[in-house]
Every structure is written in C-alpha cells, then in structure tokens.
Amino acid sequence: MNIEDLKAAFRNLYGCEVEHAYFAPGRVNLIGEHTDYNGGLVFPCALSFGTWLLISRRGDSQNSLHSLNMDFAATIDNSIFAASPKEWIKYPAGVMKEFADRGHHVFGYNMLFAGNVPLGSSLSSSASIEVATALMLNDVCHTQLNMTDLVKLSQHAECDFVGVKCGIMDQFASGFGKKNHAIALNCATLDYEHVPFCIDGYKLLITNTNKPHSLVASKYNDRRRECEDAARTLAEKYPIKFLCELTEEQFETSKHLIKNQIVRNRAEHAVYENARVHKAIDALKAGNLAFFGQLMNASHRSLKDLYEVSCFELDTLAENAQQYDGVLGSRMTGGGFGGCTVTLIQADKVDAFMAHIAPLYKEQTGLEASFYIADIGDGAQKLF
Ligand code: GLA
C-alpha cells in the first residue's frame, strides 16, 4: 500500500488534503489458540498487512467513512451507537462509542480506511481497524491513553458492540507488534516479551482456505462459555479463575469433575495448548525449529478433535502440509471455522509446495487457496 496513492484517493473523495494518517497491522498466531480468554499464553506476530486510516477535520458533527478495500461508505452521527450496524462499520463505530462513553467528542472527521489484510481470513482485519481507529481518536481527542489502554478498549468494543466475546490477543498483537519478533503474551497479566523470530533457511507461509465463514460469532461465544463452565467446576478443587492456571498434571487429576465430555474436551485443549506455548517459546529460543513444528501439528490436532473449531478446508490444508517434505509444522491460525493455516517450511521448498498444494486443495474442496509469505512487521503507529 503506497501512502502517496492513499493521499491521492483521499483528495479525490473528500476534495481536501489528509491531515493525519495511522496504521495498525493484522496478525498471525504461531501457537496458543483459544488460550487468551482462558488466561493463558499466546504467541502471535504482527504482519506487514494492516489497515491504514487517513483523516481530516470536517467542521460538522458527523463522521464520513469510506473504505477502499471494502467498497462501502457511510456518514454517521451518534445515532449509530443505538443502531447495531451490520457492515464493517461496526468496528470503527464500536471504538468511537468507547471514546464517546468516556465523554469525548468523536465526530467531525473525514475518514478513509484502506486495508490489505484478507477479510474474514483469521488474520485480524477487524482488530486492525479497531486499533487504527483507537490510535486516531486518542490523538485527535488528546486522551493520552497508552497502548495497553487502547488495546483493551478495542477488545471491549469487539466484545460489547460487535458481539464477539474475544480475548485480547488480536488487538494486543496489532498494538505491540515488533518487526521480526513474535510476542509471548501472558493474557492473564498482560506481561509480554518480544522474542526474535529467527528461522534462517525457513519461511512462515500463510495459506488462506478462502472458505466463507458462517455463524462464527455464536460458535466462538459457545466455546468461551464452555471453558468458563469448566473453570468454575475445577475451581472446586484448585483456587483458579482461568483454566490455563492449571498444569497438565493438575488437569489430569481433576478432569473427572467435569461430567460433560464436550466441556472436558474443551478444557483439555486449553490446558494442553497453554503448555505447548511454553514449550514452543523455549524451542524457538533454543533454535529447535523441528520441535516447534511438532508442537504446531499437535496444536492443530487438538483444535480439530478436542476444541472442534477446525473445518474440512483447514484440515485439508494443514494435514497435506504436514505430510510434505520440508514442512516442519502446519496448523490453523486464529479463531477457526475457516480462515488460514500457518506453515513453517524450508525456504527453498516454498514454490514446489505451493504448486503441489494448490491443485490438491482445489480437487478436494472445490476452492482456490491463496498463499502469503508472512512478513513480520511493527505494531500500530501514527504515520504523520
Ligand atoms: C480470535 C479472537 C482471539 C482468540 C482467537 C483464538 O482471533 O479474536 O481473541 O481467541 O480467536 O485463539
């Protein structure tokens, strides 16, 4: 995305110059899926894909919003907060509401959004819109919130206004990304560490199923509820608030307390996935990419069999990749039910791999896969 082209597009649309521009990235999660709202560890990276937001002042009490990549435009005022909008506009509107609820005046701007995160692909296009909007409002409202506050407020907008009871991983990765580093984040405390993502001779390849999502919010919210039920049950034995406070051993000695097999499976995933993230961070630091890859494969299996958030398309991509010579590991990334896989693969095998997987995937699912080499970028920032 070229900023001069975006400025020209802004000028064409609004007939005036851009005053400020902001950027917030999407993310890919390496491992630690559905652990964030269970008080566990996650290990995402920010991408160089993201959302650019360009603005100017208008002199009235409305916001005009255009999106270049979503082909949608609207002029809104504060009646939007009672309207539960359906389009992508709910993401910036949810963040505007967060600031309005804190007593700030959030209207009076021309806004142009331009994104290159593939939509609905589990690479956090929505978090990147939210965090870009939060960064912009923090600037123009002179709120002086720090990045942690902006991340939390963006997550709250998604839970409250959008209606997905998400954890904090996506917004945090967008806010705190660092070029060529992964973020080891403890979601219970928000302590984090930037871990150099050194994979010499290997690439991180993202493959998009291009499967349209359906009912994702309700299934996601169901998983969260099941985990909360499990945590309440196990709290009878251990003084825990979140499932990921348990070790694997503690889970094994108490899992019989969870009578419902489905709920027990969900809890087993959360506890073991959290343990895998610890091991994966250590493996990366020790340069043991082969073990890192095995943990990715185990994560996928657990998400498929225990957490049941995978789907035929994701399994087709991940399982075919896992068989391929030169692939160390492959798994679904993000919330699931569609979206992308992430694969750790020998750099000189990438072209042959894509040539092998694309027709196989098409034959097995009828869909075209898309591929992106992950370029790990910095977190959200004001550009000017
Ligand atoms: C979505 C949510 C995140 C996280 C992942 C699964 O991306 O927004 O908070 O729960 O799913 O790991």
Side-chain angles (χ1 to χ4, degrees):
M1 217 46 86
N2 175 318
I3 192 75
E4 292 310 318
D5 293 345
L6 295 181
K7 283 181 182 171
F10 189 95
R11 216 176 290 125
N12 269 339
L13 263 171
Y14 292 115
C16 62
E17 291 299 322
V18 177
E19 288 171 33
H20 299 295
Y22 310 84
F23 170 76
R27 63 99 190 93
V28 61
N29 190 21
L30 301 175
I31 193 161
E33 222 61 86
H34 292 274
T35 46
D36 58 354
Y37 53 83
N38 285 310
L41 278 176
V42 292
F43 202 36
C45 313
L47 293 169
S48 57
F49 288 151
T51 297
W52 283 257
L53 169 56
L54 284 68
I55 64 150
S56 69
R57 271 161 231 272
R58 284 165 65 87
D60 63 8
S61 284
Q62 295 185 319
N63 283 342
S64 178
L65 284 79
H66 278 84
S67 166
L68 282 188
N69 53 311
M70 286 179 276
D71 192 24
F72 186 81
T75 300
I76 61 172
D77 58 22
N78 62 7
S79 61
I80 189 96
F81 300 148
S84 30
K86 296 243 173 319
E87 306 291 339
W88 68 275
I89 216 123
K90 62 193 170 193
Y91 302 109
V95 174
M96 289 171 201
K97 182 167 183 298
E98 292 291 320
F99 280 82
D101 288 349
R102 288 165 174 75
H104 301 291
H105 187 66
V106 300
F107 293 97
Y109 300 96
N110 293 317
M111 306 169 75
L112 175 64
F113 290 85
N116 58 2
V117 187
L119 300 175
S121 62
S122 64
L123 300 177
S124 295
S125 52
S126 54
S128 76
I129 297 173
E130 290 156 358
V131 173
T133 308
L135 200 61
M136 170 247 156
L137 288 173
N138 192 37
D139 189 30
V140 298
C141 298
H142 306 291
T143 354
Q144 295 183 335
L145 298 175
N146 62 30
M147 190 56 90
T148 305
D149 293 329
L150 297 180
V151 161
K152 284 185 182 165
L153 169 161
S154 300
Q155 179 208 11
H156 192 256
E158 175 110 17
C159 291
D160 203 48
F161 196 72
V162 177
V164 180
K165 307 289 177 204
C166 66
I168 196 134
M169 169 170 70
D170 304 349
Q171 293 81 5
F172 198 97
S174 183
F176 286 90
K178 182 169 171 189
K179 194 165 176 52
N180 296 330
H181 287 71
I183 310 165
L185 169 67
N186 177 330
C187 298
T189 59
L190 298 191
D191 289 337
Y192 70 98
E193 180 192 351
H194 284 130
V195 180
F197 194 64
C198 298
I199 54 166
D200 286 348
Y202 287 84
K203 294 277 181 201
L204 201 57
L205 182 71
I206 298 171
T207 309
N208 195 339
T209 59
N210 288 315
K211 182 196 177 206
H213 284 207
S214 64
L215 291 177
V216 177
S218 72
K219 290 182 195 159
Y220 184 94
N221 293 347
D222 288 348
R223 296 297 181 283
R224 182 165 185 157
R225 209 171 316 109
E226 287 159 352
C227 286
E228 286 165 358
D229 283 353
R232 258 191 306 275
T233 303
L234 298 184
E236 289 166 19
K237 174 144 187 201
Y238 295 105
I240 56 159
K241 187 162 171 224
F242 296 114
L243 283 175
C244 292
E245 289 167 50
L246 293 175
T247 62
E248 295 150 295
E249 294 72 26
Q250 287 171 325
F251 177 74
E252 290 303 326
T253 58
S254 58
K255 66 181 182 190
H256 62 279
L257 296 172
I258 307 173
K259 301 295 175 214
N260 181 310
Q261 184 62 45
I262 290 178
V263 173
R264 196 190 293 175
N265 289 348
R266 307 300 191 234
E268 182 176 333
H269 166 78
V271 172
Y272 279 78
E273 178 77 352
N274 191 51
R276 276 189 287 272
V277 188
H278 279 282
K279 293 175 195 164
I281 294 168
D282 290 346
L284 183 65
K285 287 181 176 170
N288 189 349
L289 292 184
F291 187 44
F292 192 94
Q294 287 164 21
L295 293 163
M296 291 173 78
N297 294 346
S299 168
H300 185 83
R301 264 194 308 280
S302 178
L303 288 158
K304 176 186 175 192
D305 297 335
L306 298 176
Y307 220 68
E308 296 181 278
V309 291
S310 189
C311 59
F312 177 65
E313 292 79 359
L314 285 168
D315 294 341
T316 302
L317 285 180
E319 287 164 6
N320 280 311
Q322 289 167 9
Q323 311 285 317
Y324 195 82
D325 183 39
V327 167
L328 294 183
S330 185
R331 58 181 290 276
M332 54 158 277
T333 186
F337 309 109
C340 293
T341 59
V342 55
T343 302
L344 188 57
I345 176 171
Q346 220 172 289
D348 58 7
K349 297 275 172 70
V350 170
D351 289 339
F353 171 79
M354 293 190 301
H356 168 76
I357 287 288
L360 197 65
Y361 179 70
K362 173 89 198 236
E363 183 193 307
Q364 294 179 359
T365 65
L367 296 170
E368 304 277 350
S370 325
F371 300 90
Y372 330 98
I373 302 271
D375 178 23
I376 300 177
D378 282 321
Q381 57 204 279
K382 181 177 182 180
L383 301 175
F384 58 84

